[in-house]
């Protein structure tokens, strides 16, 4: 598997692992990302237990150089979404009969 997944890859993987139709997997992944975006717009942070944390961070203005002309340019600051994955913890469950 690649280090990066796009939306289609994630939906296909979900369909395969959960043994559900591609349409249901697509619906779920779209709904999940819509909810994440909504949460980021409202609170600036979304934590999903076992998956990780999505957060909006500020990127400061910075200087750079136009590689074509050598001219110094100023790149305006902006906001970006960052993701920090949750630590993977092995959990053993014992069933008592």
């Amino acid at each position: 598997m690649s280090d990066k997944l796009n939306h289609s890859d994630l939906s296909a993987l979900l369909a395969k692992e959960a043994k559900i139709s591609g349409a249901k997997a697509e619906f779920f992944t779209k709904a999940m990302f819509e909810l994440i975006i909504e949460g980021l717009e409202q609170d600036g942070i979304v934590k999903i237990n076992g998956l990780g944390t999505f957060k909006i961070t500020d990127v400061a203005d910075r200087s750079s150089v136009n590689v074509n002309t050598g001219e110094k340019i100023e790149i305006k600051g902006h906001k970006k979404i960052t993701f920090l994955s949750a630590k993977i913890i092995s959990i053993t469950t014992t069933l008592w009969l």
Side-chain angles (χ1 to χ4, degrees), residues 12-92:
L13 186 59
L14 176 63
K16 179 182 173 188
E17 293 295 319
K19 295 181 175 88
I20 60 175
S21 71
K24 285 183 181 179
E26 181 84 13
F27 176 82
F28 175 83
T29 54
K30 280 186 178 181
M32 181 182 76
F33 283 112
E34 286 173 6
L35 288 171
I36 290 169
I37 290 167
E38 185 179 309
L40 288 170
E41 289 173 344
Q42 289 178 3
D43 303 322
I45 189 167
V46 174
K47 294 182 181 182
I48 302 173
N49 289 336
L51 180 63
T53 302
F54 294 87
K55 184 167 60 170
I56 295 179
T57 57
D58 291 318
V59 177
D61 293 348
R62 63 186 172 97
S63 297
S64 188
V65 176
N66 181 327
V67 295
N68 295 321
T69 64
E71 176 186 7
K72 288 187 176 187
I73 58 172
E74 184 75 17
I75 299 174
K76 290 192 136 300
H78 57 278
K79 296 184 182 296
K80 71 175 183 176
I81 298 172
T82 58
F83 175 74
L84 179 63
S85 63
K87 292 182 182 179
I88 298 174
I89 301 171
S90 176
I91 300 174
T92 305

